[in-house]
Amino acid sequence: MTDLRAPVLIPESTAFNSVAVKWVRHWNEHLFSFAVERPASFRFRSGEFVMIGLPGEANDDGKPAKPVMRAYSIASPAWAEELEFLSIKVPGGPLTGRLQAVEPGDQVYLGRKPTGTLVLDALLGGKRLFLLSTGTGLAPFLSVARDPDVYERFEQVVIVHGTRRVDDLACREALEARLADDPLVSEQAATQFHYLPAVTREDFHTTGRIPALIENGRLFQGLAGEPRFDPENDRVMLCGSTAMIREIASMLEHMGFVEGSNANPGQFVIERAFVD
């Protein structure tokens, strides 16, 4: 097995850096967060993703194996000194089967070129920003919600996080506290940030899938404005299961919302790199 604590030498011509793991937090048996050091030259916009990986297992013929890389949304804001990620655990998975075992000091690969469409640049201005997520799709919105620019552009910032179980609600305490410990946005978030967690398979104060919460109006309770999506004032980002994204994107399009991109900002965006 590869020694993950040993520095990994990567030629400068490659698309990856080798960085050290700073900390790891296991939320439950199938969900964890980790952070890596941030290279001085690494720049990204809140909401973007980057490739993360590990060295491939050695081949029987002695030839070096290709690194195992996957796209991960960056959960830390663009101003942070470290890069945070949220991941599922897949027993026997080519990457996550090993990545879930990393410890502080271990070395992992980090892509040099972050990208993505879950960014403010891909949206037109508005009054309310809805960040709708399921599972680990929460990650990019942890980044966006801690970006000071978002509170300058929008009057209300709403994270909706849907999971199967209560203990799958990663970062719940910080979000329920309206990011009170955040050094840059805590003051604005105290009045502008809203968090709605929802669970589908256990008893909880909010149950049901996100599309149902939109249709029955629960998603809009406690917010200023209309108890429904409004193409003129509302902007939406979607990240999570393919089924959720397709269902809500179709719903938004029927309401008159137009999908945006970096080249042509619109009224809602999805991260197509993660949609089958």
Side-chain angles (χ1 to χ4, degrees), residues 171-181 186 189-190 193 195:
C171 302
R172 177 184 170 190
E173 291 184 1
L175 296 173
E176 286 183 333
R178 294 194 169 191
L179 307 173
D181 293 332
S186 58
F193 178 76
Y195 169 59

